Amino acid sequence: MALIFILIFSTLISCQMDSEFTLVKTMNKYRDKSDFEINKAVAVAIGAKPFPPERTEFKQCEIPGLENAIIVKITGVKTGPFAPCNNPADAMPIVFENEICMNYIDKDIGWGARHFDEEKGELEIYDKNYYRAAMICFLMMKEAENE
């Protein structure tokens, strides 16, 4: 009986470790990206288009202080710099529409971005930058939708 319990328990542990490993692996993919790269990925995920219309790739903003922004056209919303990793006006509509919860952990960890889906479970991301944590959470949610 004890052997069966140990076998079941170790199987549960390994399943949990596999899913955590996948999450860590995905998280590391975003940890290595710059704000500019995450901003581009978010723009693609929400259906933004490069601006001006004849461009096929997103252009980096040349306005001082907005170097991580990209130039986009989001039909009916905005045309111009888009920097959800640093600009609350760009990030917060995404946070609200996707029901991402934010909470401050501490000065060493920073902010936690959390989303719960009844089918897929809980997703929690940590970063020192409030908006970057939310955008990584958003991108991981979109990845989970496509799996």
Side-chain angles (χ1 to χ4, degrees):
M1 183 75 155
L3 181 58
I4 293 171
F5 174 75
I6 291 170
L7 183 58
I8 292 171
F9 184 71
S10 65
T11 304
L12 288 173
I13 294 289
S14 83
C15 289
Q16 184 176 359
M17 287 174 66
D18 287 345
S19 66
E20 286 176 6
F21 177 72
T22 303
L23 177 61
V24 168
K25 188 172 159 186
T26 305
M27 181 62 191
N28 285 340
K29 176 172 99 174
Y30 292 111
R31 283 261 179 233
D32 297 337
K33 291 189 183 253
S34 67
D35 285 356
F36 177 73
E37 292 169 310
I38 291 175
N39 290 339
K40 284 195 310 186
V42 171
V44 169
I46 65 170
K49 303 291 183 210
F51 189 81
E54 62 274 5
R55 293 191 68 87
T56 57
E57 294 198 15
F58 291 104
K59 178 184 177 205
Q60 193 165 3
C61 186
E62 296 174 4
I63 300 171
L66 292 175
E67 293 85 1
N68 287 322
I70 56 175
I71 308 299
V72 298
K73 178 176 179 79
I74 305 171
T75 307
V77 178
K78 82 182 282 184
T79 300
F82 180 71
C85 282
N86 304 99
N87 184 354
D90 295 331
M92 293 313 289
I94 295 167
V95 170
F96 293 141
E97 288 170 21
N98 292 280
E99 300 174 344
I100 298 171
C101 301
M102 301 299 296
N103 63 319
Y104 181 73
I105 308 300
D106 65 28
K107 66 180 176 139
D108 294 325
I109 295 172
W111 293 92
R114 182 175 175 257
H115 177 76
F116 179 77
D117 182 292
E118 287 184 23
E119 292 177 16
K120 295 183 174 58
E122 184 173 325
L123 172 65
E124 195 158 345
I125 306 301
Y126 301 99
D127 197 276
K128 299 241 183 219
N129 177 331
Y130 180 97
Y131 303 111
R132 181 180 168 94
M135 293 307 102
I136 292 172
C137 184
F138 170 71
L139 291 171
M140 291 180 71
M141 289 167 55
K142 290 299 176 189
E143 279 184 13
E145 284 175 11
N146 295 330
E147 288 181 351

